[in-house]
Amino acid sequence: MKRIIVSGGGTGGHIFPALSIANALKRMDKEVEILFVGAEGKMEMEKVPEAGFPIEGLPVRGLQRRLTLENVKVLINLWKSLRKAKKIIRRFRPDVVVGVGGYASGPIGRVAANAGIPLVLQEQNSYAGVTNKLLAKKAKKVCVAYEGMERFFEPSKIIFTGNPVRKDLLNNEGKREEGYAYYGLDPKKKTVLVTGGSLGAGTLNKMVEAHLSELGGREDIQVLWQCGGYYYEQLHGELAERLPANVKLLAFLKRMDLAYACADVVVARAGAGTISELCLLEKAAILIPSPNVAEDHQTKNAMALVNKQAALMIKDAEAVERFMTVLSGLLDEEAACRALSENIARLAIRDSDEKIAAEILKLIR
């Protein structure tokens, strides 16, 4: 039996690629046993068991960027996490450890590398995360999704694989009509999908709310607006009387595959997973990078597309002011919309999960 630990998480952007890699490993080798290691209290502790894999939690947390007593707790939790990581490694005896980024991959990756166990890193963003940068010297291989990652990692270790994407999103043959029916949309209108992810994004919500009358005044479009569970109750109450008929407000998109299938334009943050999905699904996109991420990496992700005329970008601080102008310009220029779709499709990297899984299995053999 081959044993593999997959570590990391904290956000869907880390968890979904990790699950894709694990599923690819199981498809490619039935003799593989997989254990996930995540951070206690984070979403991986729920999502990973739902996907059918066991998971252990570490009490690890990220350092605050300002001087605060909280950082004393962080250091104590780091020490506890390293001790627990040693116990997990001794008990499970993995052949390979895979780190996908996020706090939890730090302790387990360091302990594994110090014990001589091969370490594989997967870096989703165009600007490497802190944990992966710290672990990179001890890693055997680093799987990346963007060009120019030699700035962060030894060139000899880099393998260009792209980011794994959930398989259910990619099989969208004939799903457009199903998507219209599922979300109660009109097939004769262009569909704008606005999504801030499952938690929502405050700026994107303010932006749509500020332009509801203009969106409602356009009879040729309809808006599927995922505002996030955190914001839904307040928005639903405030907008009950003035939400236009062509704007659908939802807390979650339970069928993301169907939402994508009927979208003509996608307005979203610029997380690495979202960008990989947009490339593979060939969607015209307006990206509004979150300013609340390490090293402003979402702006760097978005600019990698903008520089190839594969997406439009609006700065977070300008989103409320510029949104309707940029969206109308794109909706009214079919050639521009088509060009974005064609250019983003050229950046798609397929079967990333299997490419990464193959590299992991090579280290065992």
Side-chain angles (χ1 to χ4, degrees):
M1 182 67 78
K2 304 175 180 96
R3 292 187 177 90
I4 297 168
I5 285 177
V6 180
S7 63
T11 66
H14 288 131
I15 297 162
F16 294 126
L19 287 171
S20 294
I21 293 165
N23 285 319
L25 284 164
K26 296 291 272 184
R27 285 197 307 273
M28 293 168 74
D29 194 325
K30 299 290 187 282
E31 296 294 304
V32 166
E33 185 181 347
I34 296 170
L35 173 67
F36 276 77
V37 176
E40 289 175 0
K42 295 293 184 179
M43 65 188 290
E44 59 265 26
M45 303 306 293
E46 182 184 331
K47 296 291 183 189
V48 169
E50 282 176 5
F53 293 99
I55 186 167
E56 297 254 7
L58 303 179
V60 67
R61 289 289 179 274
L63 277 168
Q64 300 293 313
R65 295 184 178 222
R66 61 189 190 284
L67 285 172
T68 168
L69 283 173
E70 279 296 309
N71 283 337
V72 176
K73 288 185 190 173
V74 169
L75 293 172
I76 292 168
N77 282 337
L78 177 59
W79 177 74
K80 288 179 180 175
S81 296
L82 286 164
R83 286 189 66 192
K84 189 169 182 182
K86 286 177 185 174
K87 289 178 184 174
I88 292 169
I89 293 286
R90 276 201 299 268
R91 186 180 71 248
F92 189 70
R93 295 188 323 236
D95 298 293
V96 178
V97 168
V98 183
V100 298
Y103 310 133
S105 61
I108 204 85
R110 180 178 166 182
V111 169
N114 288 345
I117 297 163
L119 175 64
V120 177
L121 301 180
Q122 198 250 331
E123 177 52 62
Q124 291 114 24
N125 292 294
S126 59
Y127 193 95
V130 174
T131 305
N132 278 349
K133 283 193 281 189
L134 290 172
L135 291 173
K137 286 187 174 67
K138 301 193 173 197
K140 292 284 185 189
K141 296 177 181 179
V142 184
C143 300
V144 303
Y146 288 90
E147 297 166 356
M149 298 304 284
E150 297 81 5
R151 294 174 293 159
F152 309 106
F153 308 120
E154 285 179 39
S156 61
K157 295 181 179 180
I158 292 174
I159 301 163
F160 191 76
T161 58
N163 280 326
V165 168
R166 291 169 280 177
K167 291 288 185 191
D168 65 310
L169 296 182
L170 302 181
N171 181 22
N172 62 354
E173 282 289 313
K175 282 188 177 178
R176 197 171 178 93
E177 295 305 318
E178 188 183 348
Y180 289 136
Y182 185 85
Y183 286 111
L185 299 171
D186 184 346
K188 298 185 184 69
K189 294 182 177 181
K190 289 180 181 175
T191 303
V192 179
L193 169 62
V194 180
T195 172
S198 58
L199 297 177
T203 297
L204 270 62
N205 291 337
K206 285 177 196 164
M207 174 189 82
V208 176
E209 189 176 359
H211 295 282
L212 279 178
S213 59
E214 292 154 279
L215 291 166
R218 288 199 58 146
E219 294 182 0
D220 60 327
I221 70 166
Q222 55 201 342
V223 180
L224 192 55
W225 175 16
Q226 178 182 256
C227 67
Y230 180 78
Y231 299 96
Y232 179 75
E233 290 302 326
Q234 183 184 348
L235 282 169
H236 185 257
E238 288 176 1
L239 304 178
E241 301 298 319
R242 60 188 186 94
L243 193 69
N246 65 337
V247 177
K248 302 269 182 183
L249 174 67
L250 297 168
F252 306 106
L253 295 171
K254 290 181 182 174
R255 290 291 304 272
M256 196 68 201
D257 57 329
L258 298 182
Y260 272 138
C262 51
D264 296 286
V265 175
V266 178
V267 183
R269 289 303 202 188
T274 299
I275 285 182
S276 296
E277 291 166 4
L278 294 171
C279 291
L280 287 159
L281 294 168
E282 304 178 13
K283 293 295 174 181
I286 299 170
L287 301 174
I288 303 169
S290 170
N292 308 313
V293 293
E295 310 289 353
D296 195 25
H297 69 251
Q298 286 203 6
T299 296
K300 297 175 177 78
N301 291 349
M303 287 307 299
L305 269 63
V306 172
N307 290 337
K308 296 187 176 180
Q309 289 81 51
L312 301 179
M313 186 185 93
I314 307 173
K315 290 180 182 175
D316 185 88
E318 299 172 357
V320 173
E321 180 190 344
R322 295 189 57 218
F323 170 60
M324 204 64 209
T325 305
V326 175
L327 177 64
S328 295
L330 193 55
L331 290 169
D332 296 338
E333 288 287 338
E334 282 203 21
C337 210
R338 192 164 53 250
L340 286 181
S341 176
E342 289 169 359
N343 291 340
I344 204 169
R346 293 191 187 104
L347 305 179
I349 304 161
R350 300 186 186 281
D351 303 319
S352 298
D353 54 349
E354 292 181 2
K355 288 174 185 170
I356 295 166
E359 296 297 333
I360 294 164
L361 292 171
K362 274 186 208 171
L363 288 173
I364 299 176
R365 297 193 189 111

